[in-house]
Amino acid sequence: MPAKSAAQQKAAGAALSAKRGDTPKSELKDASKSMVESMSEKELEKMAHTSRKDKPEHTSGD
């Protein structure tokens, strides 16, 4: 599932970092905090590796 906005892509990247143990989970905020618990590493990878080109910073659903 590709990210729909740059903010979503960034949150997925932060959650992926925490899931892999590179970042403490206590440093996560908002969306990334729920993503790390509810998504698999593979799902987070797909979302985090989405290109930000032509993506809005936020969408109405963010």
Side-chain angles (χ1 to χ4, degrees), residues 40-59:
S40 71
E41 188 171 332
K42 191 171 184 173
E43 289 172 318
L44 288 169
E45 262 183 33
K46 278 187 172 181
M47 193 174 280
H49 288 102
T50 302
S51 172
R52 283 189 219 165
K53 186 177 179 179
D54 300 325
K55 296 268 189 248
E57 182 60 31
H58 295 277
T59 62

Side-chain angles (χ1 to χ4, degrees), residues 1-54:
M1 148 175 47
K4 294 181 181 174
S5 69
Q8 190 179 43
Q9 189 267 344
K10 292 174 195 175
L16 180 60
S17 178
K19 176 99 53 186
R20 291 179 173 169
D22 298 330
T23 303
K25 287 183 182 180
S26 60
E27 289 185 16
L28 297 180
K29 298 178 185 174
D30 304 323
S32 55
K33 190 177 265 188
S34 64
M35 283 178 165
V36 76
E37 299 299 329
S38 65
M39 297 176 76
S40 71
E41 188 171 332
K42 191 171 184 173
E43 289 172 318
L44 288 169
E45 262 183 33
K46 278 187 172 181
M47 193 174 280
H49 288 102
T50 302
S51 172
R52 283 189 219 165
K53 186 177 179 179
D54 300 325

